[in-house]
Amino acid sequence: MASSSHKQQQHLPNLYGATAAPPPTPSAQPNHHLVTSSATADALSKLLHRLPPTLSLPTRRLAPSVESPPTVSFSDPNLKDLLLSSGSKLGFFQLTSHDVSSRLANSAETESLSLFELPKEQKESCFPKNWPLGFNADEEEGGEGKGESFCLDATCSTESRNLSLSSLRELTRALEKLGLKIIDTLANAVGFENPIGDDPNRFCSLMWISEGLHGDDKPSGGFYPYVIGLQYQIRCQKYSLLSDSGWLSVSPEVDSIMVTLGDIAQVWSNGKLRKVRGRPVAVRLDDENSSRRISMSLLLTLPMDSQVAPVLTKVIAGDENDNDDEIGTKGKKEERLFTSFSFEDYAWRAYHECLLFKDPLDRYRI
């Protein structure tokens, strides 16, 4: 993997010339208000009808709604139904009754916070520089300590022996184990074979640690594709996330794990699962005294050399005499909603392009 961001004032000419009389005042003009309005409406109507049918205009961002995510527990006898419902309708849920301890999460947070206290030179020199791993500072945020993030691998390795991240490493491994179990159960619930299986070479884990200031509304470090994301809820915390239905604000229960389904899960399910675009952003509550906030997001994603394609496919009626290779059974044909694409190319595009109002998967839809 390889690493990752005037106005010119112009004077308007005198449209009327040096000796020309000024334009008539509005009161001296005949009233063409109704005619102008009608003409404008007709012109606008013609323009809209000429737009391509597939053109999607950016959705105006409204104030996000606050809601509690659906609750899922591995001990629930209706686990598969709950996963299927949450995944197909929302793309996120909160997991309870898990094995990750609050002590471990708090200890990992303390270690993570210490990383942001390091001098900038040390932040840049003590972490890997093979994209997307390493330290990232969003220059648009305007200064050190704003929009900063660290992306670490499953071992949470650094270039310094003086940095001890043992708790963060343990939390990463615990969330990874839990995430693999969720993927397997979810694939079984939706009805497709888990592409990861038991092969550790078919996935990789990224621990993304981000800190920002009150008022930030986008994740620092860019968007990165993933299968599922997990965030331990240490305290009462609100998250802003961009789902397929728009911006939402959710407040998971304390000690639960916020689980979001990513774009890769949506492609695997051939569109049956909804997704959250990027990582949820921790939002400061109104009654908090400190403006500092941090989020630790474990992303279960794919190796760079992976190909992404639907695993679950819709079955449609086909011609019995059709010899197409995609025919699954006699008289049936498989239809894919997404084309196959390179994960590396897609990840680079999703990370570096502005995708707040544009779904990066649109270019791969059939």
Side-chain angles (χ1 to χ4, degrees):
M1 298 186 285
S3 185
S4 64
S5 133
H6 297 317
K7 294 183 180 178
Q8 181 178 4
Q9 186 175 4
Q10 297 179 346
H11 297 283
L12 295 177
N14 186 344
L15 300 179
Y16 307 104
T19 60
T25 61
S27 59
Q29 300 301 306
N31 188 357
H32 297 299
H33 176 71
L34 295 178
V35 177
T36 302
S37 298
S38 177
T40 302
D42 291 342
L44 180 60
S45 177
K46 292 179 180 179
L47 175 62
L48 292 176
H49 281 86
R50 292 174 61 187
L51 291 176
T54 58
L55 177 64
S56 59
L57 299 177
T59 302
R60 182 179 179 183
R61 180 174 176 179
L62 303 177
S65 59
V66 179
E67 59 180 273
S68 178
T71 300
V72 173
S73 172
F74 278 117
S75 61
D76 196 308
N78 299 317
L79 173 61
K80 291 184 178 180
D81 293 336
L82 291 174
L83 285 176
L84 182 59
S85 176
S86 300
S88 60
K89 295 178 181 179
L90 296 173
F92 61 89
F93 56 89
Q94 59 182 347
L95 183 68
T96 59
S97 302
H98 50 78
D99 297 330
V100 183
S101 70
S102 59
R103 176 201 60 78
L104 176 60
N106 277 276
S107 180
E109 183 186 55
T110 300
E111 291 180 351
S112 299
L113 282 169
S114 67
L115 298 180
F116 295 96
E117 302 296 334
L118 297 173
K120 188 173 183 179
E121 296 76 14
Q122 195 170 355
K123 293 175 183 177
E124 295 175 342
S125 63
C126 292
F127 295 91
K129 294 182 176 60
N130 47 327
W131 178 84
L133 299 179
F135 169 70
N136 177 277
D138 191 344
E139 296 179 354
E140 294 180 356
E141 298 294 338
E144 185 175 350
K146 299 180 180 181
E148 294 185 340
S149 66
F150 295 88
C151 182
L152 307 176
D153 61 15
T155 64
C156 296
S157 58
T158 69
E159 305 295 332
S160 173
R161 296 181 179 179
N162 298 324
L163 290 177
S164 175
L165 302 177
S166 57
S167 293
L168 185 61
R169 183 180 305 109
E170 186 179 350
L171 176 65
T172 299
R173 290 300 192 188
L175 292 177
E176 176 186 271
K177 180 180 179 180
L178 185 61
L180 291 173
K181 184 178 180 181
I182 294 174
I183 292 175
D184 192 61
T185 307
L186 183 62
N188 187 264
V190 177
F192 65 91
E193 184 179 355
N194 181 3
I196 294 177
D198 299 325
D199 190 347
N201 296 318
R202 293 183 178 179
F203 75 94
C204 64
S205 298
L206 300 177
M207 173 56 77
W208 224 298
I209 310 164
S210 305
E211 183 187 28
L213 298 181
H214 179 44
D216 294 342
D217 60 358
K218 65 183 181 67
S220 57
F223 295 101
Y224 195 82
Y226 62 93
V227 183
I228 64 170
L230 301 94
Q231 293 177 313
Y232 191 98
Q233 191 73 356
I234 297 177
R235 61 186 61 83
C236 184
Q237 176 70 64
K238 183 169 67 175
Y239 289 95
S240 177
L241 55 85
L242 182 55
S243 70
D244 280 338
S245 58
W247 284 96
L248 295 172
S249 183
V250 297
S251 299
E253 299 175 6
V254 174
D255 291 332
S256 69
I257 293 178
M258 178 77 175
V259 179
T260 55
L261 307 185
D263 32 11
I264 305 305
Q266 184 172 66
V267 174
W268 282 354
S269 70
N270 205 38
K272 191 170 185 178
L273 295 174
R274 306 197 80 173
K275 69 176 181 300
V276 170
R277 198 183 308 172
R279 308 183 308 279
V281 184
V283 179
R284 177 192 169 194
L285 300 178
D286 294 336
D287 58 351
E288 288 181 338
N289 296 323
S290 173
S291 60
R292 293 188 66 185
R293 54 184 170 80
I294 187 174
S295 61
M296 300 179 294
S297 305
L298 188 282
L299 302 184
L300 272 168
T301 183
L302 302 180
M304 278 294 177
D305 59 355
S306 303
Q307 285 291 121
V308 185
V311 181
L312 178 67
T313 53
K314 290 185 176 181
V315 179
I316 61 175
D319 189 345
E320 293 186 4
N321 297 321
D322 193 344
N323 293 320
D324 194 292
D325 291 337
E326 291 187 348
I327 295 178
T329 57
K330 186 176 181 180
K332 299 292 183 180
K333 181 188 296 184
E334 295 180 347
E335 177 191 19
R336 292 188 173 186
L337 301 184
F338 297 92
T339 61
S340 176
F341 55 89
S342 161
F343 177 81
E344 182 175 9
D345 293 344
Y346 174 67
W348 183 266
R349 183 186 303 275
Y351 187 92
H352 291 94
E353 293 184 358
C354 181
L355 301 170
L356 285 175
F357 299 105
K358 179 182 178 181
D359 189 340
L361 282 180
D362 283 347
R363 67 186 293 114
Y364 305 107
R365 297 182 189 274
I366 300 176

